[in-house]
């Protein structure tokens, strides 16, 4: 009997807009449920109850069929995001194995609040601890333990990404980077309004320039990388892109 | 006696806008002279004679001093671009060694028309063969030989990048990707007007969306990555950013 995964949406192929795998063609699977409630979450429908009736329980084979129906032969990477996919154990472990059997890479985005053994099987593991503006607080002990385990796995497929909305967030990002100096580190400007309709690219680019300027001036950020959310520049706040 | 390098400009720190090292904080050194004359070159002042009197012959130590004067302790990466830096032998070999002595990484951009032994010492080697719209033609024998040598070096620090302006360029890009399937491959939309003043981000994003759509629909591009020129989105056609 295969384990079930709560899925709230699947879409793609599209282009990964963020982090270490920016620009990669990928399908997306979004799991339902989160242990966080970030004030500016751009996917609050995965945890705020508004879309709970759209959640479907699926096993790895069913997800694979759904992805193939959507993407045909036009992808070789699947990104699993949430919500927090690290709330799910066996089901995602089985999905990652199935993807690998088919020659497909698995990318994961999670905030670093929970460990799962399948982290070590992932081809691109993005750990994205949430800064003060989220309203959440970081359990450093848990994060230390996660970073230690991925670091010693030797696979080198992991990175840290911090979203920055304001100066306080930037200080938090610097703390994260300083704490795990050997882990590839990405900074990303936050989207201050995730419900605004129409073209938001000018606002986002101006926030990116603000973050560029801070990093350029800061000798403690020489090894950091600063990237936008490409999908938001192109498709704005539209869902399922 | 140290070898001299023809330098047309140095600037930074800034953020690398393109390719495998997108988002990395870096200084730029631009060498003078090119064996190509691409119709849409965004740095034609490096070869068209218009800035020849600004060219300065500098050795590695002098370049290092200039970079330190500009960037202080605010960088740990230097990108050497052109023109075509692969026209230069001993001088750049010495510069790369000096950067490494100081704990600084060296990134290079070149079109793959000439080999230099120092390619193998570079931390991020971007080979960017030019598509038909450039008006240039690719010497496949030379490119094959370069890709074979970097591939067998085992350093894994190399990538291919093709700029795409139109459907013919896209076909050329597909040919490059097909010819070297194991080399990380990046596609980048071309900037159709490198002298336009003011904010060009809307035009560039629309071209990026065009390229996204082509890659998304194309099963032969599953492993390609599509990225914009971030610096052009932020700083437009401004020089020295």
């Amino acid at each position: 009997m295969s384990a079930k995964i709560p899925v709230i949406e699947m879409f793609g192929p599209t282009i990964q807009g963020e982090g270490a795998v920016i620009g990669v063609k990928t399908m997306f699977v979004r799991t339902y449920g989160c242990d966080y409630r970030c004030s500016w979450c751009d996917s609050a429908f995965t945890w705020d109850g508004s879309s709970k009736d759209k959640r479907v329980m699926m096993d790895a084979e069913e997800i694979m069929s759904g992805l193939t129906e959507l993407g045909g032969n036009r992808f070789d990477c699947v990104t699993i995001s949430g919500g927090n996919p690290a709330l799910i154990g066996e089901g995602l472990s089985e999905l990652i194995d199935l993807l690998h059997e088919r020659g497909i890479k698995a990318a994961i985005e999670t905030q670093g609040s929970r460990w799962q053994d399948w982290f070590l099987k992932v081809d691109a593991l993005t750990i994205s601890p949430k800064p003060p503006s989220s309203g959440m607080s970081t359990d450093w002990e848990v994060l230390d333990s996660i970073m230690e385990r991925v670091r010693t796995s030797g696979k080198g497929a992991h990175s840290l990404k911090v979203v920055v909305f304001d100066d306080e967030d930037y200080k938090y990002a610097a703390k994260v980077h300083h704490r795990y100096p050997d882990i590839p580190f990405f900074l990303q400007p936050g989207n201050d309004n995730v419900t605004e309709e129409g073209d938001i690219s000018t606002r986002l680019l101006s926030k990116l320039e603000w973050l560029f300027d801070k990093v350029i001036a800061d000798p403690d950020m020489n090894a950091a990388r600063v990237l936008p959310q490409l999908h938001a520049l192109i498709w704005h706040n539209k869902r399922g892109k």
Side-chain angles (χ1 to χ4, degrees), chain A residues 24-25 27 39 48 65 77 83 85 91 93 96 114 118 143 154 157 159 161 164 170 172 185 194 202 214 230:
Chain A
V24 168
K25 178 151 72 148
M27 302 296 293
S39 62
D48 68 3
S65 301
C77 177
S93 181
I96 293 161
R114 303 279 180 101
W118 52 253
L143 189 59
S159 60
K161 182 181 73 179
V164 174
Y170 186 83
Y172 172 92
F185 183 73
V194 295
T202 304
K214 287 186 84 76
L230 286 188

Side-chain angles (χ1 to χ4, degrees), chain A residues 170 174 213-222:
Chain A
Y170 186 83
D213 287 342
K214 287 186 84 76
V215 167
I216 286 169
D218 184 352
D220 291 330
M221 285 293 185
N222 289 350

